[in-house]
Amino acid sequence: MTTLQTPAEAEEFVGKVLTDSSAWLATTLAMIGDRLGLWEKLCDEPVTSVELAERSGINERYAREWLAAMSAHGYLTYDPATARFELPVAHRPALAEQGGPMFFGGVHQEMLGLVTVIDQLIDAFRNGGGVPLSAYGPNFWQGLTRFTAGGFDHQLLQHWLPAMPDVEAALERGCAVADIGCGQGRALVRLARAFPASHYVGYDLYEPSLEAARAHAAESLVDDRVRFERLDASAGLPNSYDLITAFDVVHDAVNPRGLLQRIRQALKPNGRFVCLDINSSPHLTENAGPVGTFLYGFSVLFCMPVSLADHGEGLGTCGFNEPAARELSAEAGFTEVRIVPQDDPFHTLYEIR
Ligand SMILES: C[S@@+](CC[C@H](N)C(=O)[O-])C[C@H]1O[C@@H](n2cnc3c(N)ncnc32)[C@H](O)[C@@H]1O
């Protein structure tokens, strides 16, 4: 039997649990603000609940309660003299600057999508198996795309490619590119706009994401050089490519070893595999804290169950860390794995040959 904690320790811990529970509620309310465009409205000037309701076309009673909660949590400040609420300038990049490098709205939307599979997940805890990709629904996929677009819009051309000069030169000259697990196609469309001499194909398992990717390519006027096809890349790729990319895919894969092998087989001589995956440690104790909780949380709720749903390896979010990436790449027949220097603390970028 475990010994009882002293009341002081128990009290301190219950305080942490209260803080965390409040944070879950704040995140849910932040997501509602994102959906209704309330954060943008709060950037204009400090507002009363009546003003926010009028400007956003929402019910005043809901506006008042939402504003009260967001100020109680410290996302907003409140001036009792004027009854106005303000979104401090320093809070805007995280909450209001859509598409910015610090924006969290996509993560909040993605989290909403995660909780909708909770009953299937609990069943998997009891009986094994997992939760298929198709169970997650539009909030998850749209949130994911808005989240990962931050890297593609602010890092890919600006920082990642300049740190891989051979890859950048090949794109500039014109080469064949395949993006594995392309999702809604943001990375490939960005590349196609920047490097029009190359041609691009995106492969994914999930048809609704591919439809969104095709629409995005057409809107961006790059559909003459980018196409998107449904394909399980671990069963083999139909052509050979100078450049293959996979952004946040390998750790989710049903068969990561097979996937890496197929990628290697599909690379032309001197071709490159550019792989973005999670920056984590193989040692559990080194993944502690908020970032580790975030990674393992996403792992339990998405990355691991989508792999286990198909009797997969279930690496989990932290399972394709640097030593694993080196081991699995060598097993697939690659001879060189270079870590590309970049700033994103959540990810490691690999240039693999
Ligand atoms: C976390 S999402 C990342 C999507 C996109 N790369 C991004 O960064 O927004 C992982 C994607 O990989 C796809 N995927 C996983 N295994 C795959 C496979 N064997 N073949 C093709 N796509 C796969 C999933 O359908 C999902 O869209």
Side-chain angles (χ1 to χ4, degrees), residues 127-132 253-256 304-315:
N127 302 310
V131 182
V254 171
N255 175 8
M304 185 185 72
V306 294
S307 176
L308 294 181
D310 223 357
H311 310 288
E313 188 154 338
L315 283 181

Side-chain angles (χ1 to χ4, degrees), residues 337-351:
V337 176
R338 181 173 82 92
I339 307 266
V340 181
Q342 53 88 40
D343 283 343
D344 173 355
F346 284 93
H347 287 108
T348 304
L349 182 63
Y350 304 95
E351 183 182 3

Side-chain angles (χ1 to χ4, degrees), residues 86-93 97:
E86 181 170 16
L87 180 61
V89 172
H91 299 190
R92 295 178 190 180
E97 289 176 9

Side-chain angles (χ1 to χ4, degrees), residues 157-349:
L157 303 180
Q158 299 86 336
H159 302 293
W160 299 347
L161 286 178
M164 295 181 283
D166 292 339
V167 173
E168 194 170 34
L171 284 163
E172 198 77 66
R173 276 195 309 274
C175 69
V177 183
D179 185 28
I180 309 302
C182 61
Q184 299 191 0
R186 298 285 152 157
L188 225 45
V189 166
R190 189 126 306 263
L191 287 174
R193 280 164 55 183
F195 302 101
S198 292
H199 50 281
Y200 306 84
V201 58
Y203 296 118
D204 204 285
L205 296 167
Y206 190 53
E207 188 57 37
S209 292
L210 293 164
E211 282 163 22
R214 289 180 198 115
H216 180 53
E219 277 159 25
S220 310
L221 307 177
V222 294
D223 49 339
D224 58 333
R225 50 189 180 274
V226 188
R227 63 200 166 80
F228 293 99
E229 289 178 12
R230 186 165 190 279
L231 181 90
D232 176 358
S234 63
L237 291 159
N239 291 304
S240 49
Y241 310 90
D242 303 283
L243 171 64
I244 298 181
T245 54
F247 301 104
D248 267 329
V249 176
V250 179
H251 67 267
D252 288 346
V254 171
N255 175 8
R257 293 166 202 274
L259 183 62
L260 291 172
Q261 229 169 56
R262 300 303 185 199
I263 289 172
R264 190 200 47 81
Q265 287 162 355
L267 276 177
K268 292 183 187 174
N270 216 23
R272 302 286 203 281
F273 173 40
V274 169
C275 177
L276 184 79
D277 220 285
I278 302 299
N279 177 20
S280 61
S281 167
H283 307 295
L284 181 60
T285 48
E286 290 172 10
N287 294 328
V291 174
T293 308
F294 192 91
L295 297 177
Y296 285 120
F298 268 85
S299 194
V300 173
L301 292 163
F302 177 78
C303 303
M304 185 185 72
V306 294
S307 176
L308 294 181
D310 223 357
H311 310 288
E313 188 154 338
L315 283 181
T317 308
C318 299
F320 196 65
N321 47 62
E322 186 191 332
R326 291 190 183 281
E327 186 194 321
L328 268 65
S329 298
E331 189 185 303
F334 288 107
T335 53
E336 194 184 310
V337 176
R338 181 173 82 92
I339 307 266
V340 181
Q342 53 88 40
D343 283 343
D344 173 355
F346 284 93
H347 287 108
T348 304
L349 182 63

